[in-house]
Amino acid sequence: MTSIAETNTEARAFRVHARHLDSHDARTVREASFEAAAVAYLEDLHAIGTTPDIEVIVRDQESGHQHCFRIDLETGEAQACG
């Protein structure tokens, strides 16, 4: 069974920040999913540094749900923070 969240393609507001940065450095993006919001944030992030991966926290502004993704900057692969 597919959930409503998986089939919803309407853009919504997410607050996103890199885990190593303070939350006051977060950015609001409008995207269709948590994953798309993380990618949109990384496309504009200039303070990545020299680490091979980054952890990004994505919070849905309406529901308050949040997810954390660890993204390998070399391969582009992502997984849940652990």
Side-chain angles (χ1 to χ4, degrees), residues 14-34:
F14 293 94
R15 192 85 172 137
V16 188
H17 73 279
R19 188 175 233 174
H20 72 279
L21 299 175
D22 291 328
S23 61
H24 72 269
D25 291 322
R27 218 180 102 215
T28 300
V29 297
R30 293 197 58 79
E31 292 292 339
S33 68
F34 285 91

Side-chain angles (χ1 to χ4, degrees), residues 55-74:
E55 292 185 352
V56 177
I57 299 170
V58 182
R59 183 177 185 274
D60 185 315
Q61 292 290 82
E62 185 175 320
S63 70
H65 291 116
Q66 75 178 29
H67 293 282
C68 180
F69 300 98
R70 172 175 279 148
I71 302 165
D72 184 315
L73 297 172
E74 294 176 0

Side-chain angles (χ1 to χ4, degrees), residues 20 46-54 73-74:
H20 72 279
H46 301 289
I48 292 177
T50 60
T51 60
D53 62 3
I54 188 168
L73 297 172
E74 294 176 0

